[in-house]
Amino acid sequence: MKRILVIHGPNLNLLGDRDPEHYGNDTFEAVNNQIVARAERRDFSCDIFQSNFEGAIIDKLHEARNVYDGVILNAGAYTHYSYAIRDAVEAIKIPVIEVHMSNVAARDEFRKTSVIAPVCRGSVIGFGKASYFLAVDALFEVFGGEEGWGLAKK
Ligand code: DQA
């Protein structure tokens, strides 16, 4: 069984309260339950981690390299400027899928830059909570997918 980890960065613990136009009405807990349900359909075990602190996210990424087969990372606003998180993603040799609930390309100028995108396996952006579900499916593809339908290896 593949093990995956979802890392939510700053302010994502406020899902349900925070800016529903961009992030929907579901609570953080409800979204996490749905992510885990999607992962189980793919026969993955799935852990969830959230932190508002850059260093805690970096520590978790380091820890993940020996424990998990893949990571789904919504680094929140750190996406746009944290070279430290970027370097942590690059340093671990497991696939990391970048996720954003909102369409960051259609928002403020500063959100159009992702310093972590170049070191991620790929990105899922703009589908609300479904961005996480699609990222679970993306990891399924990265791990080999349906027989005969696998993605080319990076
Ligand atoms: C976000 C987009 C970021 O720009 C923002 O700072 C977030 C959430 C998203 O999921 O759309 O906190 O990563």
Side-chain angles (χ1 to χ4, degrees):
M1 180 186 266
K2 297 287 187 194
R3 297 196 66 187
I4 69 167
L5 172 68
V6 178
I7 300 180
H8 302 279
N11 302 308
L12 290 158
N13 53 309
L14 299 183
L15 288 181
D17 277 344
R18 181 188 178 197
D19 199 352
E21 192 200 322
H22 285 118
Y23 305 116
N25 293 302
D26 287 29
T27 63
F28 182 60
E29 196 191 352
V31 171
N32 285 329
N33 289 338
Q34 292 166 53
I35 297 169
V36 170
R38 175 65 70 110
E40 283 170 355
R41 269 168 48 187
R42 290 302 193 182
D43 271 333
F44 299 159
S45 76
C46 177
D47 292 327
I48 309 280
F49 175 79
Q50 191 275 331
S51 178
N52 296 317
F53 296 92
E54 187 177 26
I57 293 168
I58 293 166
D59 283 346
K60 198 70 186 176
L61 285 164
H62 293 177
E63 207 183 298
R65 78 190 197 282
N66 297 317
V67 179
Y68 296 97
D69 299 291
V71 172
I72 292 170
L73 172 63
N74 184 347
Y78 285 136
T79 303
H80 313 302
Y81 65 93
S82 175
Y83 296 116
I85 291 178
R86 180 210 181 280
D87 283 354
V89 170
E90 190 175 36
I92 66 172
K93 299 286 181 230
I94 55 173
V96 178
I97 310 286
E98 175 187 22
V99 158
H100 299 289
M101 300 180 82
S102 64
N103 182 1
V104 284
R107 297 181 62 193
D108 320 78
E109 270 313 302
F110 75 89
R111 293 183 208 277
K112 292 181 181 158
T113 300
S114 168
V115 300
I116 66 168
V119 290
C120 287
R121 181 66 178 79
S123 305
V124 184
I125 296 171
F127 300 100
K129 63 185 180 179
S131 292
Y132 291 103
F133 312 155
L134 293 168
V136 170
D137 287 347
L139 279 177
F140 177 78
E141 295 295 341
V142 168
F143 296 151
E146 305 281 351
E147 205 177 325
W149 289 80
L151 290 177
K153 293 269 177 293
K154 192 165 71 163

